[in-house]
Amino acid sequence: MNIAMFSDSYYPYVSGVVRSIELFRHELQQLGHNVYIFAPAYRRQTEEEGVFRFPSITAPTNKNFSLALPFAPGVGQKLRDLKIDLVHCHSPFLLGNVGARTARRHNLPLVFTHHTLYDLYVHYVPLFPGLARRLVLGFVRRFCNRCNLVITPTNVVAKRLRELGINAPMQAIPTGLKLEEFANPDNGWLRREYGIGPEEKVILCVARFGKEKNLDMILEAFRLINRDCPDSRLFLVGIGPCEEELRTMAKDMGLASRVTIVGRRLSRQTLTNYYAGADLFMYAAVTETQGIIIGEAQAVGLPVVAVGANGVAEMVNEGFDGFLTAPSAAALAENSLVILQNEELRQRLSSQARESAEQISSTATATRMANAYATLLK
């Protein structure tokens, strides 16, 4: 099959959506299909075969994100030249809308992955968030109901979309994990790199530094943990617009010496070493449709304590590979301390976390996606 994927975000921008596109593209191509990406242009992008860029402008609320100009003269001819069989959109907006219009114009099957709970991101709209939420929900509902198939990363999200009035055919296919990336971590790297003693407990959170990730709650939870467990350390790893705000917050809490903020893009091996050197993964976002990052932590054997909302609730198996909590710093801290203060429990959860990760290999999930495509084409 020849597949065209349209997305409003792609490398060098880093996000869960971008990671999902990258993994599915790689695995689908391994299965013998051709996948072409249509994405915004960035100033520091590298040229990549099969990736077509649209002129773009810098987003006013995030200087690291580009907004594509959704004017597409010639895109239909490009799809004909590439002999595209199917269009898969990863956003309902700018380029997703271009992809959908082009698919309808050329009578191609249209697939959409609902990566994001868009109505929970209206804090990026400076005025009238209530109105913005209603408009976004209506727009997304209409977009989905024009698709031949809507992919959701989890069944929890599929249920939520049905309740919002989306009646298009729907299938839950999670973003998989490239398990070989996590097979040989350097378990001692983190402690060597930062001079961390064997008695110290390391808590890790990997997330985009954006308001929706609730990293202020992570810092507050760590403040409570550190009060009862003074030898604990917190690592926040990611990039995003809230980095300086987080540094200021940690300093104001008197935690500057115990909190390390790693605000740069890391290689997959280095990120794996951060996972492998930690004792616990903590996560507070409530907007996730899946939470790929949780699967990555589990693949290296990290127990997870996370707020049990939306897609995350399906990624953590309560009491098996971690704990799900209420959306509060106190609940996160309490459950984290249960694990950190019981090494036998931590080791058991660690072993079982690896078992959970093995259930969603990227090869298996890409095969499911390819089968869904093939059913549409029939």
Side-chain angles (χ1 to χ4, degrees):
M1 288 180 283
N2 295 319
I3 302 143
M5 290 189 173
F6 287 77
S7 176
D8 284 336
S9 55
Y10 196 62
Y11 290 121
Y13 185 73
V14 178
S15 70
V17 173
V18 173
R19 180 64 177 156
S20 176
I21 293 169
E22 176 192 39
L23 284 169
F24 272 113
R25 184 190 190 205
H26 172 79
E27 294 294 349
L28 286 167
Q29 291 187 153
Q30 292 295 108
L31 291 171
H33 307 293
N34 298 310
V35 181
Y36 303 96
I37 307 293
F38 294 79
Y42 283 81
R43 292 177 184 173
R44 294 181 297 278
Q45 74 193 35
T46 55
E47 294 300 320
E48 185 180 347
E49 186 178 354
V51 178
F52 305 97
R53 301 283 184 169
F54 283 69
S56 63
I57 59 172
T58 301
T61 56
N62 184 352
K63 61 182 175 60
N64 296 313
F65 188 74
S66 287
L67 296 172
L69 302 176
F71 306 109
V75 71
Q77 184 60 50
K78 176 63 69 175
L79 265 58
R80 286 193 292 272
D81 292 344
L82 296 171
K83 299 181 180 178
I84 294 299
D85 298 303
L86 175 144
V87 172
H88 188 157
C89 296
H90 292 270
S91 161
F93 305 114
L94 302 171
L95 290 187
N97 205 27
V98 169
R101 289 200 316 266
T102 306
R104 287 193 291 271
R105 190 174 298 129
H106 295 275
N107 198 31
L108 295 171
L110 177 61
V111 179
F112 169 59
T113 294
H114 201 293
H115 288 284
T116 305
L117 300 177
Y118 300 100
D119 57 304
L120 300 183
Y121 283 70
V122 295
H123 53 266
Y124 285 110
V125 179
L127 298 173
F128 309 113
L131 175 61
R133 182 177 186 275
R134 290 193 297 275
L135 291 173
V136 165
L137 284 175
F139 183 88
V140 172
R141 185 186 302 115
R142 289 190 297 275
F143 184 93
C144 288
N145 284 335
R146 289 197 294 265
C147 294
N148 300 103
L149 177 65
V150 174
I151 302 294
T152 63
T154 52
N155 288 299
V156 169
V157 174
K159 182 175 183 292
R160 188 177 192 272
L161 297 187
R162 291 292 187 216
E163 291 169 353
L164 292 174
I166 294 171
N167 52 37
M170 205 174 290
Q171 189 170 343
I173 303 177
T175 296
L177 297 168
K178 206 171 179 183
L179 293 174
E180 59 268 28
E181 291 183 345
F182 308 98
N184 297 297
D186 184 345
N187 296 305
W189 177 87
L190 185 65
R191 291 179 184 271
R192 291 195 308 271
E193 184 76 8
Y194 291 94
I196 301 171
E199 75 289 349
E200 294 183 270
K201 303 295 185 182
V202 177
I203 300 163
L204 175 67
C205 177
V206 179
R208 201 179 77 84
F209 294 160
K211 183 177 178 182
E212 68 279 356
K213 301 303 182 183
N214 287 341
L215 295 174
D216 54 343
M217 189 185 294
I218 295 288
L219 283 170
E220 177 59 24
F222 178 69
R223 186 183 67 80
L224 298 173
I225 292 167
N226 192 249
R227 186 180 63 190
D228 287 358
C229 184
D231 285 335
S232 56
R233 304 235 348 220
L234 172 66
F235 282 78
L236 296 178
V237 177
I239 56 175
C242 295
E243 181 177 343
E244 288 309 312
E245 183 181 336
L246 292 170
R247 292 186 187 279
T248 300
M249 199 178 301
K251 183 178 178 181
D252 291 346
M253 287 180 170
L255 297 172
S257 65
R258 308 305 297 170
V259 175
T260 302
I261 297 176
V262 184
R264 62 183 183 276
R265 186 176 174 183
L266 305 174
S267 68
R268 297 304 302 174
Q269 184 59 58
T270 301
L271 180 58
T272 299
N273 290 343
Y274 273 96
Y275 286 129
D279 297 293
L280 175 74
F281 190 83
M282 188 160 57
Y283 204 65
V286 299
T287 60
E288 304 292 353
T289 55
Q290 177 181 349
I292 300 170
I293 217 77
I294 288 175
E296 293 183 354
Q298 291 170 334
V300 187
L302 264 188
V304 176
V305 174
V307 172
N310 293 309
V312 170
E314 205 166 300
M315 290 293 290
V316 178
N317 299 293
E318 176 70 23
F320 182 79
D321 48 34
F323 295 121
L324 294 168
T325 79
S328 74
L332 284 168
E334 180 183 354
N335 283 270
S336 296
L337 284 167
V338 168
I339 297 174
L340 293 173
Q341 294 173 343
N342 185 335
E343 183 59 21
E344 183 180 345
L345 171 64
R346 199 193 71 78
Q347 290 290 348
R348 177 169 62 80
L349 295 175
S350 172
S351 174
Q352 291 167 174
R354 292 188 180 90
E355 292 180 34
S356 296
E358 288 169 2
Q359 303 304 310
I360 53 168
S361 77
S362 56
T363 301
T365 57
T367 300
R368 289 170 60 187
M369 187 71 80
N371 289 340
Y373 290 161
T375 299
L376 277 184
L377 290 173
K378 287 177 184 177

